[in-house]
Amino acid sequence: MPSPLTIAQLARAVGMSIEDVGSYRDRGLLPPPRRVRGREGDVAFYQDHAERLRFIQRALELEFPLEDIARLVDPQILVTSGDVRELARGHLARLHQDPARWQDAIATLSRLIAACPGTGRRQECAILAYLNGKPGG
């Protein structure tokens, strides 16, 4: 996706509805679109927007609530891998309240929490690697 995209093209590229993309943008989960040079009022989305939406999709697959996703995407809030791991542990505890319903999410999140060192920078956390679609996450 090297060229700029409209919101409809972005939504189609990641398999979401335009309404969902707009909702995530309005909630601050998606960075604002950038202006298209020379075209007043036109905005465009790029690869980083698609990557963020895929991050959100993976987080939703693990049943993270939008409030937690907002914290996961903000490096100002969760600064260390320990911060990310603690947020994930709290979420895992909530999932354990209905283990039959959340069995797959529990298994994946448990594995990711175990692989997150809990020390160092947030970029070193397996949880974020997985949500970013990186191998080994």
Side-chain angles (χ1 to χ4, degrees):
M1 252 186 309
S3 59
L5 301 173
T6 65
I7 192 169
Q9 292 168 326
L10 176 65
R12 191 171 31 259
V14 298
M16 287 185 175
S17 71
I18 295 170
E19 292 78 17
D20 284 345
V21 173
S23 173
Y24 299 142
R25 181 198 57 214
D26 295 346
R27 290 173 177 260
L29 298 176
L30 184 65
R34 295 188 280 282
R35 297 271 176 226
V36 176
R37 184 184 298 187
R39 296 185 62 185
E40 189 170 329
D42 284 353
V43 295
F45 295 90
Y46 292 88
Q47 182 64 34
D48 57 321
H49 295 99
E51 290 169 4
R52 175 64 63 84
L53 289 171
R54 289 186 185 103
F55 180 104
I56 293 167
Q57 285 174 318
R58 285 186 283 274
L60 290 170
E61 288 169 4
L62 292 177
E63 306 301 331
F64 276 102
L66 291 178
E67 297 78 24
D68 283 355
I69 296 172
R71 296 179 73 203
L72 287 165
V73 299
D74 189 342
Q76 303 285 323
I77 294 175
L78 301 177
V79 178
T80 68
S81 68
D83 296 336
V84 175
R85 189 172 67 178
E86 286 309 306
L87 177 82
R89 281 182 173 164
H91 177 56
L92 183 62
R94 291 188 299 273
L95 293 177
H96 274 294
Q97 293 173 1
D98 192 353
R101 182 176 182 191
W102 308 121
Q103 181 178 353
D104 292 341
I106 289 170
T108 300
L109 194 54
S110 295
R111 176 181 59 80
L112 293 171
I113 290 169
C116 180
T119 59
R121 301 173 324 157
R122 65 184 264 128
Q123 295 88 338
E124 298 163 4
C125 183
I127 299 161
L128 289 180
Y130 174 85
L131 294 175
N132 281 310
K134 299 209 164 97

PDB file of all heavy atoms in Angstrom, residues 21 25 52 87 115 120:
ATOM      1  N   VAL A  21     -13.535   1.691  11.063  1.00  0.00           N
ATOM      2  CA  VAL A  21     -12.323   2.501  10.891  1.00  0.00           C
ATOM      3  C   VAL A  21     -12.562   3.906  11.440  1.00  0.00           C
ATOM      4  O   VAL A  21     -11.736   4.446  12.185  1.00  0.00           O
ATOM      5  CB  VAL A  21     -11.877   2.547   9.416  1.00  0.00           C
ATOM      6  CG1 VAL A  21     -10.714   3.525   9.223  1.00  0.00           C
ATOM      7  CG2 VAL A  21     -11.480   1.157   8.927  1.00  0.00           C
ATOM      8  N   ARG A  25     -10.711   5.716  14.606  1.00  0.00           N
ATOM      9  CA  ARG A  25     -10.082   7.030  14.409  1.00  0.00           C
ATOM     10  C   ARG A  25     -10.631   8.024  15.430  1.00  0.00           C
ATOM     11  O   ARG A  25      -9.874   8.737  16.088  1.00  0.00           O
ATOM     12  CB  ARG A  25     -10.334   7.521  12.987  1.00  0.00           C
ATOM     13  CG  ARG A  25      -9.689   8.873  12.683  1.00  0.00           C
ATOM     14  CD  ARG A  25     -10.293   9.542  11.471  1.00  0.00           C
ATOM     15  NE  ARG A  25     -11.724   9.692  11.683  1.00  0.00           N
ATOM     16  CZ  ARG A  25     -12.636   9.622  10.723  1.00  0.00           C
ATOM     17  NH1 ARG A  25     -12.281   9.398   9.484  1.00  0.00           N
ATOM     18  NH2 ARG A  25     -13.915   9.773  10.997  1.00  0.00           N
ATOM     19  N   ARG A  52      -1.808  -0.320  12.069  1.00  0.00           N
ATOM     20  CA  ARG A  52      -2.483  -0.059  13.340  1.00  0.00           C
ATOM     21  C   ARG A  52      -3.835  -0.782  13.388  1.00  0.00           C
ATOM     22  O   ARG A  52      -4.215  -1.349  14.402  1.00  0.00           O
ATOM     23  CB  ARG A  52      -2.662   1.440  13.541  1.00  0.00           C
ATOM     24  CG  ARG A  52      -3.472   1.819  14.787  1.00  0.00           C
ATOM     25  CD  ARG A  52      -2.808   1.414  16.106  1.00  0.00           C
ATOM     26  NE  ARG A  52      -1.564   2.063  16.332  1.00  0.00           N
ATOM     27  CZ  ARG A  52      -1.404   3.279  16.859  1.00  0.00           C
ATOM     28  NH1 ARG A  52      -2.446   3.991  17.211  1.00  0.00           N
ATOM     29  NH2 ARG A  52      -0.201   3.773  17.038  1.00  0.00           N
ATOM     30  N   LEU A  87      -0.759  -5.256  32.183  1.00  0.00           N
ATOM     31  CA  LEU A  87      -2.059  -5.016  31.565  1.00  0.00           C
ATOM     32  C   LEU A  87      -2.626  -6.328  31.024  1.00  0.00           C
ATOM     33  O   LEU A  87      -3.801  -6.645  31.235  1.00  0.00           O
ATOM     34  CB  LEU A  87      -1.935  -3.990  30.433  1.00  0.00           C
ATOM     35  CG  LEU A  87      -3.236  -3.729  29.684  1.00  0.00           C
ATOM     36  CD1 LEU A  87      -4.084  -2.724  30.451  1.00  0.00           C
ATOM     37  CD2 LEU A  87      -2.970  -3.251  28.285  1.00  0.00           C
ATOM     38  N   ALA A 115       6.104 -15.423  27.448  1.00  0.00           N
ATOM     39  CA  ALA A 115       7.235 -15.069  26.593  1.00  0.00           C
ATOM     40  C   ALA A 115       7.688 -13.618  26.763  1.00  0.00           C
ATOM     41  O   ALA A 115       8.767 -13.257  26.297  1.00  0.00           O
ATOM     42  CB  ALA A 115       6.870 -15.315  25.130  1.00  0.00           C
ATOM     43  N   GLY A 120      12.721  -4.253  30.648  1.00  0.00           N
ATOM     44  CA  GLY A 120      13.200  -3.648  29.412  1.00  0.00           C
ATOM     45  C   GLY A 120      12.120  -2.839  28.722  1.00  0.00           C
ATOM     46  O   GLY A 120      11.041  -2.593  29.255  1.00  0.00           O
TER      47      GLY A 120
END
